[in-house]
Amino acid sequence: MTAFGVAEGAAGTAFAATSSSNSASTASSAHSLEFDSTAWSYDATNDVYYQIGKVYVATPASTDYENLSIYVPGAYLTATANSDGTTYTAKLNRKGTVGQYSGSTAPIVIPVNTPGYAQQAPATSYNYSSVSQYLAAGLVYVWPGLRGRDSSTSTRSDAAPWGVTDLKAAVRFLRYNESVLPGSTDDIVLFGMSGGGAQDTVAGTSGDSPLYHPYLRTIGAAMEDAHGRPLSDAVAGVMAWCPITNLQEANLSYEWNMGQFSSTGTRASGTWSSAYSADLAKAWPKYLNRLGLRDEHGRRLELTESSSGTYLAGSYYDHLIEVITTSLNNFLSDNTFPYTITTQGGPPGSGQTGTSTTYETVADYFAYLNTAGTWATYDATTNTATVSGLEGFVNSQKNANKPVGAFDGYSRGQGENSVFAMGLGAPSHFAPLTRDVVEANETTYATHSDWDSAYGSAAYDSDFAKKDSVGKDMAWRADAYNPLYFLSPAFAGYRQSRVARHWRIRTGIMQGDTGNTTEINLQLALRNYGIRDVDFATVWAMAHTMAERTGDATTNFISWVESVVKK
């Protein structure tokens, strides 16, 4: 095995999957899982071989999405032209090299571009510019189509867990055909941002999880190789920018981290949803403390009651402030003044422009940070800052921009309710922790004039009781999409999957899309699990974007892959 690789699970070798009688080689279908080595196209100008539109499962639910494209540096294949004059028959050239890689050692990178857990459309034509940086670095680039939140039809639901299921099936297809495809299937790396970062995180923590096997079998994924040996969908590395994940508890953490400091909109005094916000915030510390997270020194991280605010004390609170302080100090170290900050105008790709403000000196910038009250102090001698508390930071830099019930909405109106739609597109509740808060307090909520009985716990119970087309209920599906289910001993999925060994996590600290706690808890859980290579940073003055402290996101990602391979 090369430098990449997946972590061992409870038992077995790195790529041993649960045995199945569903051999991909014998599955009855209209689609072969054999890769056609006689159908390569060639870009002579850039020396790239590629194939577009290969269906990667035997019995696809949607051939429009469940197909992939593969792009390979020319050095990794030895090809001869076919009689049609346009295609090539090619064999793997294991000794062909590009940079530090060869045809047998090149990492395989897979983009997961699924904002809001939406679908990822497959490529329909060849475009070198979209893959040029990766191929020039010697990587093999595989672009799978994936179903998602918005691709459901009148006869087919593509809600979770189908997006990650398709991603796993594509990984299995590569391993099924590894003898004829360039690149190392020991070194598969996923990368994505937002909902894409979330789904590659789920895939990276849930390698070979039995929760996915019923779904994989339904679409005829490659469960065994041609010799009947189990195949794996575990990956080696994950690059996640701003992953919107840990959805089961996200309503609670959002209110604790940000909502408790807001008094407008759905958090306005006197509304039932304001009381709901407070109750969600109070419920989160109990959940957090149950996780048993520890810092790098082995200190158990917990929240405790505080004299003001909701549980703004304890070792976990101190750790959060340390992360925020480190982020601010990295910013001071990385940049010089005058410094211009451009706020994000809308979601990535929206085309909305933000506003730019230039701060002439560090003093000017800290005056801005402390506009509503001093919470960040600056020491010019050491060029470092001290952060005094969460409230000042949130009010200055990380306002709540989502309503109460930020992920599992009380009227099922949030995007994530559609991610977990049960049936043909009907948004569904999915978060038991949220349901428990509603049940415990709905008598009080009902005293408010803006309360609607449709918001009660019975609506959650009704959704939780339903089953999907594979016969699984919401608890099964939500667990499958929760990385902490696989990483934390608080859950039954702990040590029941194969977790990627290499992680790079970046997040814009200003984003109001999720709490700081989301990425922090992911990083802590990975390290507590035993994953040694977790490159984690929150990026100051950036919001929901492919945040980097310095440099370009794509260049930094490729460099990270190169650095890990050398280990």
Side-chain angles (χ1 to χ4, degrees):
M1 182 173 291
T2 59
F4 269 124
V6 295
E8 295 289 336
T13 59
F15 288 142
T18 301
S19 183
S20 164
S21 59
N22 248 7
S23 173
S25 58
T26 60
S28 59
S29 73
H31 296 272
S32 170
L33 291 176
E34 303 291 338
F35 187 81
D36 187 356
S37 295
T38 70
W40 288 98
S41 296
Y42 183 57
D43 171 5
T45 301
N46 298 296
D47 191 23
V48 175
Y49 288 97
Y50 61 93
Q51 286 199 35
I52 294 174
K54 171 59 186 176
V55 175
Y56 54 75
V57 289
T59 54
S62 170
T63 56
D64 289 346
Y65 285 99
E66 291 167 311
N67 71 81
L68 60 76
S69 300
I70 182 168
Y71 307 83
V72 179
Y76 298 162
L77 290 171
T78 301
T80 57
N82 295 328
S83 58
D84 61 13
T86 59
T87 62
Y88 294 78
T89 296
K91 293 184 178 180
L92 172 60
N93 179 12
R94 297 185 183 277
K95 296 182 179 180
T97 61
V98 177
Q100 69 184 57
Y101 305 124
S102 71
S104 59
T105 65
I108 300 169
V109 295
I110 300 178
V112 187
N113 184 19
T114 56
Y117 292 81
Q119 65 279 6
Q120 174 165 282
T124 56
S125 61
Y126 175 71
N127 181 350
Y128 176 68
S129 64
S130 64
V131 299
S132 59
Q133 282 184 264
Y134 307 96
L135 298 184
L139 306 175
V140 173
Y141 190 97
V142 175
W143 177 349
L146 309 170
R147 290 172 290 160
R149 188 186 74 189
D150 300 325
S151 64
S152 299
T153 70
S154 60
T155 59
R156 185 191 75 239
S157 173
D158 289 348
W162 287 118
V164 172
T165 298
D166 285 347
L167 179 57
K168 288 172 172 286
V171 169
R172 288 171 173 272
F173 174 84
L174 297 176
R175 291 207 169 100
Y176 185 79
N177 290 284
E178 64 182 353
S179 64
V180 298
L181 289 175
S184 168
T185 57
D186 286 346
D187 299 331
I188 295 174
V189 187
L190 311 177
F191 65 105
M193 184 259 171
S194 188
Q199 294 207 119
D200 68 27
T201 294
V202 170
T205 54
S206 66
D208 301 335
S209 167
L211 293 185
Y212 283 89
H213 289 173
Y215 296 92
L216 289 164
R217 293 187 184 109
T218 296
I219 57 176
M223 305 301 289
E224 299 172 357
D225 67 15
H227 304 288
R229 295 172 298 205
L231 289 172
S232 172
D233 54 55
V235 299
V238 172
M239 170 72 245
W241 290 277
C242 295
I244 305 299
T245 190
N246 303 351
L247 296 177
Q248 285 175 301
E249 51 85 12
N251 275 3
L252 285 64
S253 60
Y254 197 91
E255 298 310 310
W256 177 83
N257 195 156
M258 295 178 285
Q260 68 166 300
F261 308 117
S262 174
S263 59
T264 61
T266 54
R267 299 175 183 88
S269 177
T271 62
W272 85 269
S273 49
S274 175
Y276 180 39
S277 170
D279 291 333
L280 288 168
K282 292 173 185 175
W284 194 68
K286 180 178 180 180
Y287 165 84
L288 181 280
N289 292 346
R290 186 166 63 91
L291 293 179
L293 297 171
R294 296 180 181 274
D295 67 12
E296 68 272 21
H297 305 296
R299 175 182 60 162
R300 182 154 180 156
L301 301 178
E302 296 181 316
L303 289 171
T304 59
E305 293 189 54
S306 53
S307 57
S308 62
T310 302
Y311 281 77
L312 300 178
S315 53
Y316 183 91
Y317 181 79
D318 294 341
H319 181 78
L320 172 57
I321 299 302
E322 289 173 11
V323 171
I324 295 169
T325 303
T326 296
S327 182
L328 178 52
N329 283 324
N330 286 340
F331 170 78
L332 294 171
S333 174
D334 294 339
N335 298 285
T336 59
F337 285 77
Y339 186 82
T340 300
I341 294 178
T342 301
T343 60
Q344 196 167 305
S350 66
Q352 300 178 39
T353 57
T355 59
S356 294
T357 304
T358 298
Y359 299 94
E360 295 296 328
T361 66
V362 178
D364 291 338
Y365 183 65
F366 272 76
Y368 146 71
L369 293 180
N370 294 314
T371 299
T374 301
W375 59 273
T377 56
Y378 177 66
D379 183 337
T381 303
T382 59
N383 190 36
T384 59
T386 302
V387 173
S388 62
L390 182 61
E391 182 174 6
F393 161 73
V394 169
N395 288 335
S396 172
Q397 297 294 294
K398 196 178 176 70
N399 301 145
N401 62 14
K402 292 183 177 181
V404 182
F407 298 89
D408 189 343
Y410 50 78
S411 61
R412 304 185 185 89
Q414 294 300 95
E416 288 77 10
N417 292 116
S418 294
V419 171
F420 288 99
M422 188 67 81
L424 299 177
S428 298
H429 289 301
F430 59 85
L433 292 171
T434 294
R435 179 260 179 215
D436 291 347
V437 170
V438 173
E439 183 191 39
N441 298 283
E442 59 187 300
T443 300
T444 301
Y445 302 155
T447 64
H448 293 267
S449 60
D450 56 341
W451 167 258
D452 188 321
S453 60
Y455 305 154
S457 60
Y460 294 80
D461 293 336
S462 174
D463 289 350
F464 295 169
K466 297 175 183 176
K467 294 186 177 182
D468 64 15
S469 61
V470 182
K472 303 304 179 183
D473 62 13
M474 188 61 72
W476 183 292
R477 296 169 62 210
D479 285 342
Y481 258 44
N482 179 13
L484 294 187
Y485 177 79
F486 306 102
L487 296 174
S488 170
F491 299 100
Y494 183 63
R495 301 287 179 190
Q496 300 303 306
S497 66
R498 311 212 179 263
V499 179
R501 288 186 185 273
H502 303 281
W503 292 77
R504 187 172 188 270
I505 303 167
R506 292 291 184 274
T507 181
I509 203 167
M510 291 177 68
Q511 66 168 339
D513 301 77
T514 192
N516 303 99
T517 58
T518 298
E519 294 94 351
I520 289 174
N521 286 5
L522 175 61
Q523 182 250 2
L524 290 169
L526 285 165
R527 289 195 177 277
N528 293 172
Y529 189 89
I531 305 303
R532 296 179 181 177
D533 185 12
V534 184
D535 182 349
F536 170 75
T538 59
V539 184
W540 194 265
M542 289 194 179
H544 192 63
T545 188
M546 293 173 70
E548 295 286 338
R549 285 178 55 185
T550 60
D552 169 74
T554 299
T555 302
N556 289 350
F557 165 61
I558 292 172
S559 296
W560 173 70
V561 172
E562 292 173 347
S563 69
V564 174
V565 167
K566 290 178 180 177
K567 291 181 180 178

